[in-house]
Amino acid sequence: MADIRITVVKKLDNKDLFKGNPPLEFTGAGVCDRFEEGKVFISKEGGFPEGFCPWAFADIQRDLIHLRLGGDYPWFKEKGAILSCCTDGARPVIFKLERIEK
């Protein structure tokens, strides 16, 4: 089974998401402070990459396993890849997951 490359594509700012009118008030950072855009992580054998956020990993794990087992997503032209995201409603992060063919 394949390893998976996880690239941080975009960190969304809640000020942009809600145009200054969020349905709930936030404390802390307006964007995720756990990741930097462009940072790459490798999930070996489906495992948790060092330095990755556990909450984000729980959110993307289904897509990661699907790719790892050889699955593809028909709505993406690129085989062995998907955009997946952390579902933090205050500070979502979008990741590109890519199957590493051995």
Side-chain angles (χ1 to χ4, degrees):
M1 287 186 269
D3 293 337
I4 303 296
R5 179 182 305 109
I6 305 166
T7 304
V8 181
V9 174
K10 181 83 173 158
K11 299 187 328 177
L12 301 173
D13 189 324
N14 62 37
K15 291 177 185 76
D16 296 333
L17 289 173
F18 300 108
K19 298 185 185 350
N21 190 24
L24 293 171
E25 288 191 44
F26 303 117
T27 60
V31 295
C32 177
D33 56 1
R34 298 289 302 262
F35 295 110
E36 293 301 321
E37 290 179 4
K39 175 80 173 161
V40 175
F41 298 87
I42 303 294
S43 171
K44 295 188 177 285
E45 299 180 359
F48 183 83
E50 184 176 332
F52 206 80
C53 172
W55 292 99
F57 190 75
D59 285 335
I60 68 170
Q61 194 170 25
R62 178 187 63 216
D63 294 329
L64 185 145
I65 290 174
H66 182 74
L67 289 175
R68 189 167 180 261
L69 295 173
D72 290 314
Y73 294 87
W75 52 93
F76 287 101
K77 286 185 178 181
E78 187 177 336
K79 300 294 183 197
I82 188 172
L83 294 177
S84 192
C85 69
C86 167
T87 59
D88 180 336
R91 303 172 286 272
V93 178
I94 299 171
F95 303 96
K96 181 179 182 183
L97 280 57
E98 301 170 277
R99 184 170 45 242
I100 300 171
E101 303 292 348
K102 294 181 180 184

